[in-house]
Amino acid sequence: MRFNMVKNYKILKMLLICSTLFLLVDALILLAGCNNGRYANILSYGAESGIASYDNSESIQKAIDQVNESGGGRVVIPAGDFYTHPIELKSGVELHLESGAKLIGVDNIEAYTKLKYKKNPSLIFADGQENISVTGTGTIDGQGGAPTFQVKGDPGGRPMIILFHDCKDVTVTDVTLTNSAHWVQFYTACERVRIRGIKVNSHANLNNDGIDIGSKDVVVSDCVIDSDDDAICFKGDELCENVTVTNCVASTNCNGIKFGTASTKGYRNVKVNNIKLSHASEDNHRQWSTKYPGITAPVTIISGIAIEVVGGGIAENIDINNVSMTDVQTPIFIRQGKRYDESKAPNTYLKDIKISNVKAVSESMMTSSITGVPGLYPENITLTNIDITAPGGGTADMGSIVVPEAEKEYPENRILGTIMPASGLYIRHANNITLSNVNFHFREPDDRPLIIKDDCTNINYL
């Protein structure tokens, strides 16, 4: 028995030695990977943290280039504050921000105006790349509140944080994006985009859209967005197609879920579900209640759901389901207009829209609406299980208010007037509209007609 015990001990010892050797071999393989570029920590390339005057872009770009040239891998931003000029992400590279890592864009607008994609400069940029990703629980800060970026009106050279153009197989997960000088992130003309679990907090400047999508085969899920401008925005200057947005919380001073304004090509096969909307945590630029009468809360969303085709493109097969919203001026705003050269866009349309299971609390007399213009009629629109609570207070004579056509106006709710003649829903120049279990409640009595129809056919109540 003693002999067997000794023998078994020797065997166990040999196994432990072998296991240790295997671990050493694995470590050597990993180190070899570090040397040939499959894994690159920016500290190994000369990056330094905590120095605002030190530009880390050369170190970061060297790491990205080496990983790209070696066939792909991970570039690591470790814990610390790393200031940088713009960087270009390349095929096969995962830019990974570890916990406590912060990548900070320089507060110098000139650093962004020299980029090859000058129309929309950005801190992290990729054009025509494949299999790229930004991951990790770190933060990317655009310093958008810096004096150099305080440009009124046209955003000019103000940079975004992320701009990916014409890329395939894009992944962005878990990171925090904050303080953009322009839109926070824009995915345009890309294919197969996956965005999950990111956090956006951006109130540093105007035009701070939370996320802008103008791509195909996109899934956005489990994100938290708090932005000054439109929170979830679909851009249609490239066909925005086969997109799903789900399980997100969005706060904004502008529109919550918005299709537009860009719509020269439009949107097709888009699903949005399980979204919670509320007013933004800050209001540094808007103050809607001081600008327009009848708004009953100090901080509000413009429209909770805005579907707009005004650039000559299309909107087709859009399905929006299970949305809750508070602090909203207009719960649902569907608009087709003519802000384009009609001879160049003869086949524009807005049709096959389903909006269901919406619970909204409104804070204005800018009623929900479905409107086209003469010759352009939104059609095949179904509203199901809609429950809207509004402030009320409308008088009977308000029911005769004339609503302007505003054919070529920028499509926000207020172009139709800050007080609408209908208390619940205004429909004009639209065909085949179905209302199923659509209910309105008012905190104060409202003597305006509940629903007004003008130049419509086939309005169905179920």
Tab-separated table of all heavy atoms in Angstrom, residues 310-350:
chain	number	residue	atom	x	y	z
A	310	VAL	N	-38.765	63.554	-46.235
A	310	VAL	CA	-38.901	64.883	-46.838
A	310	VAL	C	-37.824	65.141	-47.896
A	310	VAL	O	-37.802	66.206	-48.494
A	310	VAL	CB	-38.842	65.982	-45.760
A	310	VAL	CG1	-40.011	65.856	-44.796
A	310	VAL	CG2	-37.507	65.941	-45.010
A	311	GLY	N	-36.942	64.152	-48.116
A	311	GLY	CA	-35.831	64.342	-49.037
A	311	GLY	C	-35.954	63.589	-50.343
A	311	GLY	O	-34.997	63.505	-51.102
A	312	GLY	N	-37.133	62.993	-50.600
A	312	GLY	CA	-37.346	62.297	-51.862
A	312	GLY	C	-37.143	60.805	-51.813
A	312	GLY	O	-37.289	60.123	-52.820
A	313	GLY	N	-36.814	60.250	-50.648
A	313	GLY	CA	-36.597	58.815	-50.527
A	313	GLY	C	-37.854	58.076	-50.107
A	313	GLY	O	-38.978	58.519	-50.372
A	314	ILE	N	-37.659	56.949	-49.421
A	314	ILE	CA	-38.774	56.087	-49.055
A	314	ILE	C	-38.745	55.756	-47.568
A	314	ILE	O	-37.704	55.831	-46.923
A	314	ILE	CB	-38.749	54.769	-49.865
A	314	ILE	CG1	-37.546	53.905	-49.448
A	314	ILE	CG2	-38.731	55.064	-51.356
A	314	ILE	CD1	-37.578	52.494	-49.971
A	315	ALA	N	-39.891	55.383	-47.044
A	315	ALA	CA	-40.003	54.713	-45.748
A	315	ALA	C	-40.978	53.569	-45.941
A	315	ALA	O	-42.119	53.792	-46.355
A	315	ALA	CB	-40.487	55.664	-44.666
A	316	GLU	N	-40.535	52.353	-45.672
A	316	GLU	CA	-41.360	51.184	-45.960
A	316	GLU	C	-41.084	50.072	-44.959
A	316	GLU	O	-39.936	49.786	-44.628
A	316	GLU	CB	-41.053	50.687	-47.372
A	316	GLU	CG	-41.853	49.471	-47.800
A	316	GLU	CD	-41.546	49.052	-49.221
A	316	GLU	OE1	-40.460	49.410	-49.742
A	316	GLU	OE2	-42.386	48.362	-49.824
A	317	ASN	N	-42.149	49.468	-44.484
A	317	ASN	CA	-42.056	48.329	-43.576
A	317	ASN	C	-41.281	48.695	-42.306
A	317	ASN	O	-40.229	48.138	-41.995
A	317	ASN	CB	-41.404	47.128	-44.261
A	317	ASN	CG	-41.604	45.844	-43.471
A	317	ASN	OD1	-42.505	45.738	-42.646
A	317	ASN	ND2	-40.749	44.861	-43.712
A	318	ILE	N	-41.849	49.625	-41.568
A	318	ILE	CA	-41.300	50.039	-40.283
A	318	ILE	C	-42.240	49.562	-39.189
A	318	ILE	O	-43.445	49.804	-39.244
A	318	ILE	CB	-41.121	51.564	-40.229
A	318	ILE	CG1	-40.058	51.989	-41.251
A	318	ILE	CG2	-40.737	52.029	-38.834
A	318	ILE	CD1	-39.937	53.482	-41.421
A	319	ASP	N	-41.683	48.884	-38.192
A	319	ASP	CA	-42.475	48.286	-37.116
A	319	ASP	C	-41.911	48.767	-35.785
A	319	ASP	O	-40.780	48.442	-35.423
A	319	ASP	CB	-42.405	46.759	-37.218
A	319	ASP	CG	-43.370	46.057	-36.270
A	319	ASP	OD1	-43.765	46.669	-35.262
A	319	ASP	OD2	-43.711	44.891	-36.527
A	320	ILE	N	-42.714	49.552	-35.061
A	320	ILE	CA	-42.297	50.089	-33.763
A	320	ILE	C	-43.255	49.557	-32.710
A	320	ILE	O	-44.475	49.741	-32.811
A	320	ILE	CB	-42.292	51.623	-33.782
A	320	ILE	CG1	-41.313	52.130	-34.852
A	320	ILE	CG2	-41.919	52.175	-32.410
A	320	ILE	CD1	-41.342	53.631	-35.044
A	321	ASN	N	-42.711	48.903	-31.674
A	321	ASN	CA	-43.553	48.200	-30.710
A	321	ASN	C	-43.014	48.362	-29.289
A	321	ASN	O	-41.800	48.328	-29.064
A	321	ASN	CB	-43.614	46.711	-31.069
A	321	ASN	CG	-44.404	45.910	-30.060
A	321	ASN	OD1	-45.533	46.257	-29.706
A	321	ASN	ND2	-43.810	44.842	-29.553
A	322	ASN	N	-43.927	48.535	-28.371
A	322	ASN	CA	-43.611	48.564	-26.940
A	322	ASN	C	-42.674	49.713	-26.594
A	322	ASN	O	-41.496	49.527	-26.288
A	322	ASN	CB	-43.002	47.238	-26.485
A	322	ASN	CG	-43.000	47.109	-24.962
A	322	ASN	OD1	-43.739	47.803	-24.279
A	322	ASN	ND2	-42.160	46.233	-24.451
A	323	VAL	N	-43.238	50.910	-26.654
A	323	VAL	CA	-42.487	52.124	-26.340
A	323	VAL	C	-43.236	52.883	-25.248
A	323	VAL	O	-44.433	53.135	-25.361
A	323	VAL	CB	-42.339	53.028	-27.583
A	323	VAL	CG1	-41.610	54.326	-27.218
A	323	VAL	CG2	-41.601	52.297	-28.692
A	324	SER	N	-42.517	53.242	-24.199
A	324	SER	CA	-43.087	54.121	-23.179
A	324	SER	C	-42.369	55.450	-23.246
A	324	SER	O	-41.156	55.512	-23.488
A	324	SER	CB	-42.937	53.511	-21.781
A	324	SER	OG	-41.575	53.438	-21.402
A	325	MET	N	-43.114	56.529	-23.065
A	325	MET	CA	-42.503	57.853	-23.145
A	325	MET	C	-43.171	58.821	-22.195
A	325	MET	O	-44.394	58.789	-21.995
A	325	MET	CB	-42.546	58.387	-24.577
A	325	MET	CG	-43.925	58.556	-25.156
A	325	MET	SD	-43.935	59.156	-26.887
A	325	MET	CE	-43.649	57.662	-27.808
A	326	THR	N	-42.367	59.661	-21.581
A	326	THR	CA	-42.864	60.741	-20.735
A	326	THR	C	-42.216	62.039	-21.185
A	326	THR	O	-41.255	62.047	-21.955
A	326	THR	CB	-42.526	60.488	-19.253
A	326	THR	OG1	-41.100	60.344	-19.116
A	326	THR	CG2	-43.203	59.229	-18.740
A	327	ASP	N	-42.774	63.155	-20.714
A	327	ASP	CA	-42.173	64.470	-20.959
A	327	ASP	C	-42.050	64.769	-22.451
A	327	ASP	O	-41.067	65.367	-22.888
A	327	ASP	CB	-40.784	64.575	-20.312
A	327	ASP	CG	-40.723	63.963	-18.931
A	327	ASP	OD1	-41.524	64.381	-18.085
A	327	ASP	OD2	-39.905	63.059	-18.709
A	328	VAL	N	-43.052	64.388	-23.225
A	328	VAL	CA	-42.963	64.523	-24.676
A	328	VAL	C	-43.970	65.560	-25.164
A	328	VAL	O	-45.097	65.639	-24.666
A	328	VAL	CB	-43.189	63.157	-25.356
A	328	VAL	CG1	-44.566	62.596	-25.044
A	328	VAL	CG2	-42.968	63.241	-26.845
A	329	GLN	N	-43.561	66.382	-26.121
A	329	GLN	CA	-44.498	67.342	-26.706
A	329	GLN	C	-45.484	66.627	-27.627
A	329	GLN	O	-46.691	66.783	-27.490
A	329	GLN	CB	-43.722	68.403	-27.496
A	329	GLN	CG	-42.783	69.256	-26.671
A	329	GLN	CD	-41.858	70.089	-27.527
A	329	GLN	OE1	-42.162	70.404	-28.683
A	329	GLN	NE2	-40.707	70.462	-26.981
A	330	THR	N	-44.961	65.853	-28.587
A	330	THR	CA	-45.795	65.150	-29.559
A	330	THR	C	-45.433	63.675	-29.534
A	330	THR	O	-44.319	63.315	-29.917
A	330	THR	CB	-45.577	65.716	-30.974
A	330	THR	OG1	-45.887	67.106	-30.975
A	330	THR	CG2	-46.426	64.993	-31.985
A	331	PRO	N	-46.329	62.808	-29.113
A	331	PRO	CA	-45.960	61.386	-29.036
A	331	PRO	C	-45.603	60.773	-30.391
A	331	PRO	O	-44.585	60.090	-30.522
A	331	PRO	CB	-47.198	60.735	-28.427
A	331	PRO	CG	-47.832	61.829	-27.628
A	331	PRO	CD	-47.613	63.073	-28.436
A	332	ILE	N	-46.443	61.009	-31.419
A	332	ILE	CA	-46.234	60.395	-32.735
A	332	ILE	C	-46.321	61.482	-33.803
A	332	ILE	O	-47.325	62.197	-33.898
A	332	ILE	CB	-47.267	59.290	-33.005
A	332	ILE	CG1	-47.143	58.167	-31.968
A	332	ILE	CG2	-47.103	58.736	-34.424
A	332	ILE	CD1	-48.261	57.139	-32.025
A	333	PHE	N	-45.267	61.577	-34.617
A	333	PHE	CA	-45.207	62.587	-35.676
A	333	PHE	C	-44.763	61.892	-36.959
A	333	PHE	O	-43.608	61.471	-37.082
A	333	PHE	CB	-44.211	63.685	-35.282
A	333	PHE	CG	-44.040	64.781	-36.304
A	333	PHE	CD1	-45.006	65.765	-36.457
A	333	PHE	CD2	-42.902	64.842	-37.096
A	333	PHE	CE1	-44.835	66.792	-37.389
A	333	PHE	CE2	-42.722	65.857	-38.024
A	333	PHE	CZ	-43.693	66.832	-38.175
A	334	ILE	N	-45.693	61.729	-37.899
A	334	ILE	CA	-45.393	61.090	-39.177
A	334	ILE	C	-45.580	62.122	-40.266
A	334	ILE	O	-46.662	62.715	-40.408
A	334	ILE	CB	-46.297	59.864	-39.418
A	334	ILE	CG1	-46.074	58.827	-38.302
A	334	ILE	CG2	-46.005	59.244	-40.790
A	334	ILE	CD1	-46.977	57.611	-38.394
A	335	ARG	N	-44.539	62.328	-41.069
A	335	ARG	CA	-44.554	63.463	-41.988
A	335	ARG	C	-43.901	63.108	-43.317
A	335	ARG	O	-42.781	62.597	-43.366
A	335	ARG	CB	-43.770	64.619	-41.355
A	335	ARG	CG	-43.553	65.823	-42.252
A	335	ARG	CD	-44.853	66.548	-42.543
A	335	ARG	NE	-44.636	67.802	-43.272
A	335	ARG	CZ	-45.615	68.555	-43.769
A	335	ARG	NH1	-46.882	68.194	-43.612
A	335	ARG	NH2	-45.329	69.667	-44.418
A	336	GLN	N	-44.615	63.396	-44.410
A	336	GLN	CA	-44.031	63.328	-45.740
A	336	GLN	C	-44.094	64.716	-46.351
A	336	GLN	O	-45.151	65.351	-46.394
A	336	GLN	CB	-44.760	62.327	-46.635
A	336	GLN	CG	-44.056	62.116	-47.968
A	336	GLN	CD	-44.590	60.921	-48.736
A	336	GLN	OE1	-45.643	60.385	-48.413
A	336	GLN	NE2	-43.850	60.493	-49.748
A	337	GLY	N	-42.928	65.220	-46.840
A	337	GLY	CA	-42.870	66.568	-47.373
A	337	GLY	C	-42.027	66.650	-48.629
A	337	GLY	O	-41.629	65.629	-49.211
A	338	LYS	N	-41.737	67.872	-49.046
A	338	LYS	CA	-41.073	68.095	-50.334
A	338	LYS	C	-39.872	69.027	-50.193
A	338	LYS	O	-39.778	70.044	-50.869
A	338	LYS	CB	-42.062	68.703	-51.336
A	338	LYS	CG	-43.176	67.778	-51.776
A	338	LYS	CD	-44.066	68.473	-52.805
A	338	LYS	CE	-45.172	67.554	-53.294
A	338	LYS	NZ	-46.057	68.227	-54.280
A	339	ARG	N	-38.921	68.672	-49.373
A	339	ARG	CA	-37.694	69.476	-49.260
A	339	ARG	C	-36.645	68.963	-50.251
A	339	ARG	O	-35.531	68.617	-49.874
A	339	ARG	CB	-37.152	69.417	-47.832
A	339	ARG	CG	-38.055	70.009	-46.779
A	339	ARG	CD	-37.412	69.968	-45.404
A	339	ARG	NE	-36.416	71.017	-45.222
A	339	ARG	CZ	-35.186	70.825	-44.773
A	339	ARG	NH1	-34.765	69.600	-44.497
A	339	ARG	NH2	-34.352	71.832	-44.610
A	340	TYR	N	-36.993	68.904	-51.515
A	340	TYR	CA	-36.087	68.340	-52.521
A	340	TYR	C	-36.556	68.760	-53.900
A	340	TYR	O	-37.657	69.282	-54.082
A	340	TYR	CB	-36.051	66.816	-52.419
A	340	TYR	CG	-37.397	66.162	-52.655
A	340	TYR	CD1	-37.784	65.739	-53.923
A	340	TYR	CD2	-38.308	65.980	-51.607
A	340	TYR	CE1	-39.021	65.157	-54.151
A	340	TYR	CE2	-39.547	65.408	-51.822
A	340	TYR	CZ	-39.890	64.993	-53.093
A	340	TYR	OH	-41.121	64.427	-53.318
A	341	ASP	N	-35.707	68.490	-54.906
A	341	ASP	CA	-36.050	68.726	-56.301
A	341	ASP	C	-36.947	67.573	-56.763
A	341	ASP	O	-36.497	66.434	-56.911
A	341	ASP	CB	-34.761	68.781	-57.133
A	341	ASP	CG	-35.034	69.088	-58.604
A	341	ASP	OD1	-36.194	68.960	-59.045
A	341	ASP	OD2	-34.073	69.429	-59.314
A	342	GLU	N	-38.220	67.855	-56.983
A	342	GLU	CA	-39.184	66.799	-57.297
A	342	GLU	C	-38.842	66.042	-58.570
A	342	GLU	O	-39.165	64.855	-58.706
A	342	GLU	CB	-40.583	67.402	-57.399
A	342	GLU	CG	-41.075	67.974	-56.086
A	342	GLU	CD	-42.443	68.605	-56.219
A	342	GLU	OE1	-43.352	67.920	-56.726
A	342	GLU	OE2	-42.594	69.775	-55.836
A	343	SER	N	-38.165	66.681	-59.527
A	343	SER	CA	-37.823	65.997	-60.774
A	343	SER	C	-36.778	64.898	-60.558
A	343	SER	O	-36.647	63.988	-61.372
A	343	SER	CB	-37.290	66.999	-61.798
A	343	SER	OG	-36.053	67.554	-61.370
A	344	LYS	N	-36.045	64.977	-59.431
A	344	LYS	CA	-34.998	63.998	-59.161
A	344	LYS	C	-35.472	62.859	-58.264
A	344	LYS	O	-34.727	61.914	-58.009
A	344	LYS	CB	-33.796	64.689	-58.519
A	344	LYS	CG	-33.122	65.701	-59.440
A	344	LYS	CD	-31.933	66.344	-58.754
A	344	LYS	CE	-31.255	67.350	-59.674
A	344	LYS	NZ	-30.089	68.004	-59.015
A	345	ALA	N	-36.683	62.941	-57.773
A	345	ALA	CA	-37.176	61.906	-56.857
A	345	ALA	C	-38.649	61.623	-57.136
A	345	ALA	O	-39.520	61.943	-56.329
A	345	ALA	CB	-36.975	62.347	-55.408
A	346	PRO	N	-38.950	61.030	-58.287
A	346	PRO	CA	-40.356	60.846	-58.664
A	346	PRO	C	-41.063	59.720	-57.914
A	346	PRO	O	-42.290	59.626	-57.969
A	346	PRO	CB	-40.255	60.524	-60.165
A	346	PRO	CG	-38.903	59.876	-60.310
A	346	PRO	CD	-38.012	60.574	-59.328
A	347	ASN	N	-40.313	58.850	-57.229
A	347	ASN	CA	-40.925	57.655	-56.642
A	347	ASN	C	-40.872	57.651	-55.121
A	347	ASN	O	-40.811	56.596	-54.496
A	347	ASN	CB	-40.226	56.406	-57.189
A	347	ASN	CG	-40.378	56.273	-58.689
A	347	ASN	OD1	-41.469	56.450	-59.232
A	347	ASN	ND2	-39.275	55.986	-59.379
A	348	THR	N	-40.876	58.791	-54.522
A	348	THR	CA	-40.838	58.858	-53.066
A	348	THR	C	-42.157	58.359	-52.464
A	348	THR	O	-43.233	58.582	-53.024
A	348	THR	CB	-40.553	60.294	-52.594
A	348	THR	OG1	-40.491	60.311	-51.167
A	348	THR	CG2	-41.605	61.262	-53.071
A	349	TYR	N	-42.065	57.660	-51.323
A	349	TYR	CA	-43.284	57.225	-50.642
A	349	TYR	C	-43.003	56.917	-49.173
A	349	TYR	O	-41.857	56.724	-48.756
A	349	TYR	CB	-43.903	55.996	-51.327
A	349	TYR	CG	-42.999	54.785	-51.457
A	349	TYR	CD1	-42.805	53.903	-50.392
A	349	TYR	CD2	-42.355	54.506	-52.664
A	349	TYR	CE1	-41.984	52.794	-50.525
A	349	TYR	CE2	-41.532	53.400	-52.804
A	349	TYR	CZ	-41.349	52.543	-51.724
A	349	TYR	OH	-40.537	51.442	-51.851
A	350	LEU	N	-44.081	56.885	-48.397
A	350	LEU	CA	-44.054	56.528	-46.988
A	350	LEU	C	-45.234	55.599	-46.759
A	350	LEU	O	-46.383	56.021	-46.854
A	350	LEU	CB	-44.151	57.794	-46.127
A	350	LEU	CG	-43.872	57.695	-44.622
A	350	LEU	CD1	-43.631	59.089	-44.043
A	350	LEU	CD2	-45.002	57.023	-43.852
